Amino acid sequence: MNEPLIRVVKKAELGSRETFILRLEAILLALVAGGLFILIIGQNPFVIYKTIITGALRSGMAIQATVKIAIPLLIASLGVTLAFKMKFWNIGAEGQIIAGGICASYFALFHSGWNHWVLVIVMFIAGAVGGGLWGLIPAWFKTKYDTNETLFTLMLNYIALNIIVFLREGPWRDPGSQGYAKIARFDKNAALDKVFGIQFGWIIALVLLVLVFVYMKYSKQGYEIGVVGESQETARYAGMNVRKVILRTMFLSGAVCGIGGMVQATGSDVTLTTAVAGGVGFTAIIVAWLAQLNPPAILIVTVLFSILEKGSSVVQSSFGLSSDSADVLQGIILFFILGCELFIRYKFVMRGKGGAGA
């Protein structure tokens, strides 16, 4: 059989210094490639890059907007990290965010007369339970029937989204809406309070960051997650209940994402819409992997993503660019940074030049 011209070979594990240099090179290449795209559309790359940074950080209001972007992204990234550490491919963070938002919104809409802090706590619990149960569904089917969790969690996203459509068009429709169906805006008593001008979801996000970090690194359950992720057979040999670990971890993964839905619905949107997740669940997957499933690193990557997102919108409005141009620029930068992860673990080998099959 003919040997292929180029093949991918796993390389020896790189040291931290080599890995850092490779990732730095990827960032530089991303900026160069993005700069070429900016030149092609007739703009100055240095001006555009400067505008991205200043647009996200130039004023207190801009910083607040950037933090608002970061809040649900950080929470969702922490949620999927729990599942990914176990090698359970949870692509359903969007649906879990939505489920949490729906459950919290029920109390915001129909029990807004409760004491404010009691209501906030109940909405928080409802969001966590709603997201957790939504995450538990694919985990149960995985442990019972060995279903494909990637497809299962992905499809649940669309079911959750259409539950909002059903509620918006039917039982939760705002009777005062004119011309189009929508869910009513929440009463002020059901909205999260602001700290430093931003809804205090950012405090919740930081607390979750610490809790997830401690849980994964120092708890017995966190250790079990890692063992199950490395080898279920080894986990069983060590006396671990693999089914219990999977169910528990996916409930927690969904619960953290559900808290993100509660925070977004009651803190930023102050209503429930089909945009409550807004693609955050998918972006969270990229953030979690770029951060190597490390909670402190997730915070750093989330901040950088949020600056890029907010800054791109400022570039779009300041220079009259289409939203597609901003999306292409973000895509180019992410392509190089994500592509770097391949070259950390693998290398391309030409025919007859060595490697595993030479």
Side-chain angles (χ1 to χ4, degrees):
M1 192 168 86
N2 291 332
E3 183 184 356
L5 177 62
I6 301 174
R7 65 188 185 280
V8 179
V9 176
K10 190 171 180 63
K11 63 169 67 169
E13 186 174 346
L14 297 178
S16 56
R17 182 174 178 274
E18 291 84 358
T19 301
F20 174 78
I21 292 173
L22 192 57
R23 286 178 175 152
L24 184 61
E25 290 172 348
I27 293 172
L28 293 175
L29 284 172
L31 294 175
V32 171
L36 290 174
F37 169 73
I38 294 169
L39 282 173
I40 290 171
I41 61 177
Q43 300 292 335
N44 185 324
F46 296 101
V47 174
I48 295 294
Y49 285 141
K50 179 182 177 182
T51 304
I52 288 176
I53 297 173
T54 58
L57 306 172
R58 63 186 172 184
S59 66
M61 187 173 294
I63 293 173
Q64 289 175 9
T66 303
V67 173
K68 282 180 67 176
I69 294 171
I71 292 170
L73 182 55
L74 175 58
I75 295 175
S77 300
L78 293 170
V80 298
T81 291
L82 288 165
F84 288 169
K85 186 70 174 178
M86 188 176 60
K87 289 186 170 59
F88 189 103
W89 309 119
N90 180 15
I91 315 299
E94 287 274 305
Q96 292 146 24
I97 291 169
I98 292 170
I102 291 172
C103 292
S105 296
Y106 168 79
F107 292 96
L109 288 168
F110 302 108
H111 299 282
S112 60
W114 289 2
N115 172 273
H116 173 65
W117 288 108
V118 171
L119 180 58
V120 168
I121 292 170
V122 170
M123 291 190 300
F124 179 90
I125 295 171
V129 171
L133 292 177
W134 204 252
L136 201 57
I137 296 171
W140 186 85
F141 276 91
K142 175 70 174 180
T143 57
K144 184 74 174 176
Y145 302 110
D146 196 28
T147 54
N148 185 307
E149 71 270 19
T150 303
L151 292 176
F152 207 127
T153 52
L154 181 64
M155 293 300 103
L156 282 174
N157 292 336
Y158 303 103
I159 295 173
L161 183 65
N162 282 285
I163 290 175
I164 292 184
V165 174
F166 165 73
L167 293 172
R168 184 189 66 195
E169 303 287 339
W172 289 7
R173 178 169 180 159
D174 180 9
S177 62
Q178 299 295 323
Y180 63 94
K182 67 181 182 69
I183 294 173
R185 190 169 177 82
F186 299 159
D187 186 86
K188 185 178 179 181
N189 189 52
L192 295 185
D193 300 274
K194 292 185 177 182
V195 179
F196 300 124
I198 313 168
Q199 51 102 345
F200 72 78
W202 66 270
I203 297 177
I204 294 174
L206 292 178
V207 170
L208 285 174
L209 172 70
V210 174
L211 292 176
V212 170
F213 174 73
V214 171
Y215 179 79
M216 290 178 62
K217 191 170 179 65
Y218 297 107
S219 73
K220 175 178 177 287
Q221 290 81 4
Y223 173 74
E224 290 176 343
I225 291 173
V227 175
V228 171
E230 288 298 322
S231 170
Q232 292 191 12
E233 291 304 317
T234 301
R236 291 191 183 95
Y237 183 77
M240 297 178 189
N241 187 332
V242 172
R243 182 174 186 271
K244 180 180 178 181
V245 173
I246 292 174
L247 292 174
R248 179 182 65 215
T249 304
M250 267 307 293
F251 178 85
L252 291 175
S253 177
V256 173
C257 293
I259 292 169
M262 171 267 177
V263 166
Q264 188 66 18
T266 62
S268 297
D269 299 339
V270 201
T271 186
L272 181 66
T273 72
T274 52
V276 65
V280 164
F282 296 116
T283 307
I285 296 170
I286 301 173
V287 171
W289 278 114
L290 281 177
Q292 300 290 296
L293 307 181
N294 182 350
I298 285 174
L299 175 60
I300 296 171
V301 177
T302 297
V303 170
L304 295 176
F305 257 78
S306 303
I307 290 173
L308 180 61
E309 179 73 23
K310 172 58 180 172
S312 296
S313 66
V314 173
V315 166
Q316 180 184 331
S317 59
S318 300
F319 294 90
L321 301 178
S322 70
S323 59
D324 295 329
S325 297
D327 290 341
V328 169
L329 178 60
Q330 292 181 48
I332 290 172
I333 294 173
L334 289 178
F335 175 81
F336 277 87
I337 294 174
L338 287 171
C340 158
E341 299 304 312
L342 172 68
F343 292 101
I344 289 175
R345 296 173 177 82
Y346 302 94
K347 61 182 177 180
F348 291 108
V349 176
M350 300 297 293
R351 181 185 298 160
K353 294 296 184 181

